[in-house]
PDB file of all heavy atoms in Angstrom:
ATOM      1  N   GLN I 344      56.706 118.336 155.611  1.00 96.00           N
ATOM      2  CA  GLN I 344      56.898 119.073 156.849  1.00 96.00           C
ATOM      3  C   GLN I 344      55.677 118.923 157.751  1.00 96.00           C
ATOM      4  O   GLN I 344      54.537 118.947 157.284  1.00 96.00           O
ATOM      5  CB  GLN I 344      57.158 120.557 156.574  1.00 96.00           C
ATOM      6  CG  GLN I 344      58.378 120.803 155.681  1.00 96.00           C
ATOM      7  CD  GLN I 344      58.783 122.265 155.645  1.00 96.00           C
ATOM      8  OE1 GLN I 344      59.445 122.741 156.562  1.00 96.00           O
ATOM      9  NE2 GLN I 344      58.392 122.965 154.592  1.00 96.00           N
ATOM     10  N   ARG I 349      57.930 125.349 160.075  1.00 97.00           N
ATOM     11  CA  ARG I 349      58.319 124.796 158.785  1.00 97.00           C
ATOM     12  C   ARG I 349      59.845 124.744 158.761  1.00 97.00           C
ATOM     13  O   ARG I 349      60.522 125.691 158.413  1.00 97.00           O
ATOM     14  CB  ARG I 349      57.746 125.643 157.644  1.00 97.00           C
ATOM     15  CG  ARG I 349      56.239 125.501 157.501  1.00 97.00           C
ATOM     16  CD  ARG I 349      55.897 124.054 157.132  1.00 97.00           C
ATOM     17  NE  ARG I 349      54.461 123.797 156.991  1.00 97.00           N
ATOM     18  CZ  ARG I 349      53.746 123.105 157.853  1.00 97.00           C
ATOM     19  NH1 ARG I 349      54.310 122.619 158.952  1.00 97.00           N
ATOM     20  NH2 ARG I 349      52.469 122.866 157.639  1.00 97.00           N
ATOM     21  N   LEU I 350      60.373 123.586 159.169  1.00 97.00           N
ATOM     22  CA  LEU I 350      61.807 123.491 159.436  1.00 97.00           C
ATOM     23  C   LEU I 350      62.662 123.603 158.184  1.00 97.00           C
ATOM     24  O   LEU I 350      63.753 124.179 158.227  1.00 97.00           O
ATOM     25  CB  LEU I 350      62.112 122.178 160.162  1.00 97.00           C
ATOM     26  CG  LEU I 350      61.417 121.976 161.510  1.00 97.00           C
ATOM     27  CD1 LEU I 350      62.006 120.777 162.230  1.00 97.00           C
ATOM     28  CD2 LEU I 350      61.537 123.228 162.380  1.00 97.00           C
ATOM     29  N   TRP I 351      62.163 123.051 157.064  1.00 98.00           N
ATOM     30  CA  TRP I 351      63.001 123.154 155.865  1.00 98.00           C
ATOM     31  C   TRP I 351      63.067 124.600 155.389  1.00 98.00           C
ATOM     32  O   TRP I 351      64.095 125.035 154.878  1.00 98.00           O
ATOM     33  CB  TRP I 351      62.515 122.236 154.751  1.00 98.00           C
ATOM     34  CG  TRP I 351      63.545 122.161 153.650  1.00 98.00           C
ATOM     35  CD1 TRP I 351      63.449 122.675 152.392  1.00 98.00           C
ATOM     36  CD2 TRP I 351      64.838 121.573 153.753  1.00 98.00           C
ATOM     37  NE1 TRP I 351      64.600 122.440 151.681  1.00 98.00           N
ATOM     38  CE2 TRP I 351      65.479 121.765 152.496  1.00 98.00           C
ATOM     39  CE3 TRP I 351      65.530 120.907 154.745  1.00 98.00           C
ATOM     40  CZ2 TRP I 351      66.770 121.299 152.239  1.00 98.00           C
ATOM     41  CZ3 TRP I 351      66.818 120.447 154.498  1.00 98.00           C
ATOM     42  CH2 TRP I 351      67.419 120.651 153.261  1.00 98.00           C
ATOM     43  N   ASN I 352      62.011 125.359 155.597  1.00 98.00           N
ATOM     44  CA  ASN I 352      62.070 126.786 155.292  1.00 98.00           C
ATOM     45  C   ASN I 352      63.143 127.468 156.141  1.00 98.00           C
ATOM     46  O   ASN I 352      63.868 128.355 155.668  1.00 98.00           O
ATOM     47  CB  ASN I 352      60.715 127.450 155.557  1.00 98.00           C
ATOM     48  CG  ASN I 352      59.607 126.858 154.708  1.00 98.00           C
ATOM     49  OD1 ASN I 352      59.366 125.653 154.781  1.00 98.00           O
ATOM     50  ND2 ASN I 352      58.914 127.664 153.935  1.00 98.00           N
ATOM     51  N   GLU I 353      63.261 127.062 157.400  1.00 98.00           N
ATOM     52  CA  GLU I 353      64.290 127.619 158.264  1.00 98.00           C
ATOM     53  C   GLU I 353      65.686 127.237 157.788  1.00 98.00           C
ATOM     54  O   GLU I 353      66.619 128.047 157.840  1.00 98.00           O
ATOM     55  CB  GLU I 353      64.071 127.143 159.710  1.00 98.00           C
ATOM     56  CG  GLU I 353      62.776 127.665 160.329  1.00 98.00           C
ATOM     57  CD  GLU I 353      62.597 127.220 161.766  1.00 98.00           C
ATOM     58  OE1 GLU I 353      63.621 126.898 162.425  1.00 98.00           O
ATOM     59  OE2 GLU I 353      61.445 127.182 162.248  1.00 98.00           O
ATOM     60  N   VAL I 354      65.826 125.999 157.324  1.00 98.00           N
ATOM     61  CA  VAL I 354      67.122 125.556 156.797  1.00 98.00           C
ATOM     62  C   VAL I 354      67.485 126.368 155.552  1.00 98.00           C
ATOM     63  O   VAL I 354      68.627 126.823 155.390  1.00 98.00           O
ATOM     64  CB  VAL I 354      67.101 124.051 156.480  1.00 98.00           C
ATOM     65  CG1 VAL I 354      68.366 123.632 155.746  1.00 98.00           C
ATOM     66  CG2 VAL I 354      66.936 123.233 157.762  1.00 98.00           C
ATOM     67  N   GLU I 355      66.508 126.564 154.665  1.00 98.00           N
ATOM     68  CA  GLU I 355      66.768 127.354 153.451  1.00 98.00           C
ATOM     69  C   GLU I 355      67.179 128.778 153.813  1.00 98.00           C
ATOM     70  O   GLU I 355      68.104 129.346 153.206  1.00 98.00           O
ATOM     71  CB  GLU I 355      65.520 127.361 152.566  1.00 98.00           C
ATOM     72  CG  GLU I 355      65.217 126.025 151.916  1.00 98.00           C
ATOM     73  CD  GLU I 355      63.946 126.072 151.085  1.00 98.00           C
ATOM     74  OE1 GLU I 355      62.973 126.721 151.501  1.00 98.00           O
ATOM     75  OE2 GLU I 355      63.935 125.447 150.000  1.00 98.00           O
ATOM     76  N   ALA I 356      66.519 129.369 154.798  1.00 98.00           N
ATOM     77  CA  ALA I 356      66.850 130.740 155.202  1.00 98.00           C
ATOM     78  C   ALA I 356      68.249 130.810 155.792  1.00 98.00           C
ATOM     79  O   ALA I 356      68.997 131.770 155.540  1.00 98.00           O
ATOM     80  CB  ALA I 356      65.818 131.247 156.208  1.00 98.00           C
ATOM     81  N   ALA I 357      68.611 129.808 156.593  1.00 98.00           N
ATOM     82  CA  ALA I 357      69.947 129.788 157.185  1.00 98.00           C
ATOM     83  C   ALA I 357      71.016 129.632 156.122  1.00 98.00           C
ATOM     84  O   ALA I 357      72.073 130.286 156.171  1.00 98.00           O
ATOM     85  CB  ALA I 357      70.048 128.651 158.197  1.00 98.00           C
TER      86      ALA I 357
END
Side-chain angles (χ1 to χ4, degrees):
Q344 302 191 80
R349 289 297 179 252
L350 300 191
W351 191 250
N352 300 58
E353 295 182 23
V354 172
E355 290 178 321

